[in-house]
Amino acid sequence: DPVKAWHFLRADGRLTHGLCEPLPDGEPLRHAGPVVLGEWGLHASIDPIDALAYASGPVVCRVECGGKVVMGRSELACSERTILWRYDATDVLRHFARLCALDVLYMWDAPEVVRRYLRTGDESFRDAACVDARAAVMHAGSADSIIAGHAAMAAASDETVNAACLCARYSARVAGLTASDALGAAGIAERNAAWDAAGDAASERQSRRLTLMLREGWR
């Protein structure tokens, strides 16, 4: 049966490799050669937050994958991929990155312009927020405050797709670090287990958030 998944294209709608001209929605793109995960075939991800790691641009596509399908942990490869709908999700991805950074903002003493940009998304604050965040994070004391500072830097950067991906990871990392530190003198195995559990839970929350935001952006 066909598998619904997510895929990101460049801003011009073209593929990174292969066809020069993008196909219209509803017209299947077919791969005639072998299908090997990460090497050959047409790729996509079940969760959009995984698709971000492979994204070549901000155009989000809801796709249907068929033919031969090979499933992996964070992506799949297939011989046939059809775009059901697509749009430029730049604004959604920027908003998502800011929300992830806001999740961990409490971990550090962020400059006021950084707080304003993250809370409002006002583009007139973005350049100053990026500069001030970079300067402030150099003086951050704890590991979690440094990570939170880097999340703010990423959210205010020009790299829209990478920022969304990084901010989600930073949010999960802070959650894991906080859970591990809360155990104090516990053993390494117990602390690591707490880190993994909290980080996984945070990643799942961000995945659900991004999925909802992308769907709402389409509507």
Side-chain angles (χ1 to χ4, degrees), residues 57-76:
V59 176
V60 62
C61 303
R62 186 60 166 159
V63 299
E64 189 172 80
C65 302
K68 182 177 180 180
V69 178
V70 178
M71 302 295 297
R73 180 179 179 184
S74 61
E75 67 173 345
L76 62 85

Side-chain angles (χ1 to χ4, degrees), residues 191-212:
R191 288 168 62 92
N192 286 344
W195 179 306
D196 290 343
D200 289 346
S203 294
E204 179 60 29
R205 287 194 299 272
Q206 300 299 7
S207 178
R208 291 195 300 268
R209 169 188 277 172
L210 181 59
T211 301
L212 180 60

Side-chain angles (χ1 to χ4, degrees), residues 7 41-42 104 125 161 181:
H7 180 69
L42 305 168
V104 296
F125 295 134
V161 173
D181 287 347

Side-chain angles (χ1 to χ4, degrees), residues 74-103:
S74 61
E75 67 173 345
L76 62 85
C78 61
S79 60
E80 184 176 299
R81 188 179 66 206
T82 304
I83 297 176
L84 303 177
W85 49 261
R86 80 181 92 182
Y87 69 96
D88 188 329
T90 296
D91 290 343
V92 174
L93 294 177
R94 284 201 180 282
H95 188 194
F96 173 75
R98 295 199 316 274
L99 290 176
C100 291
L102 281 169
D103 287 344

Side-chain angles (χ1 to χ4, degrees), residues 1-213:
D1 292 339
V3 176
K4 288 187 177 179
W6 300 85
H7 180 69
F8 284 87
L9 295 173
R10 299 182 335 191
D12 60 7
R14 297 171 185 265
L15 298 172
T16 305
H17 306 289
L19 294 179
C20 293
E21 295 297 330
L23 288 174
D25 295 359
E27 185 173 332
L29 175 63
R30 294 185 174 91
H31 170 75
V35 176
V36 180
L37 194 65
E39 297 183 20
W40 298 98
L42 305 168
H43 288 75
S45 296
I46 297 298
D47 293 321
I49 205 162
D50 289 329
L52 277 178
Y54 307 98
S56 58
V59 176
V60 62
C61 303
R62 186 60 166 159
V63 299
E64 189 172 80
C65 302
K68 182 177 180 180
V69 178
V70 178
M71 302 295 297
R73 180 179 179 184
S74 61
E75 67 173 345
L76 62 85
C78 61
S79 60
E80 184 176 299
R81 188 179 66 206
T82 304
I83 297 176
L84 303 177
W85 49 261
R86 80 181 92 182
Y87 69 96
D88 188 329
T90 296
D91 290 343
V92 174
L93 294 177
R94 284 201 180 282
H95 188 194
F96 173 75
R98 295 199 316 274
L99 290 176
C100 291
L102 281 169
D103 287 344
V104 296
L105 186 65
Y106 71 96
M107 300 303 300
W108 73 306
D109 186 19
E112 182 58 29
V113 70
V114 174
R115 296 176 181 274
R116 287 184 181 180
Y117 174 67
L118 293 180
R119 288 169 176 160
T120 68
D122 188 329
E123 285 292 299
S124 66
F125 295 134
R126 187 160 67 85
D127 289 343
C130 189
V131 171
D132 284 14
R134 182 177 294 109
V137 79
M138 298 295 291
H139 304 288
S142 62
D144 44 16
S145 63
I146 292 173
I147 297 170
H150 279 288
M153 286 171 53
S157 73
D158 293 328
E159 300 293 330
T160 304
V161 173
N162 192 46
C165 191
L166 282 175
C167 286
R169 291 177 180 175
Y170 287 140
S171 176
R173 193 173 302 171
V174 167
L177 182 60
T178 300
S180 176
D181 287 347
L183 293 180
I188 293 177
E190 187 177 354
R191 288 168 62 92
N192 286 344
W195 179 306
D196 290 343
D200 289 346
S203 294
E204 179 60 29
R205 287 194 299 272
Q206 300 299 7
S207 178
R208 291 195 300 268
R209 169 188 277 172
L210 181 59
T211 301
L212 180 60
M213 291 177 69

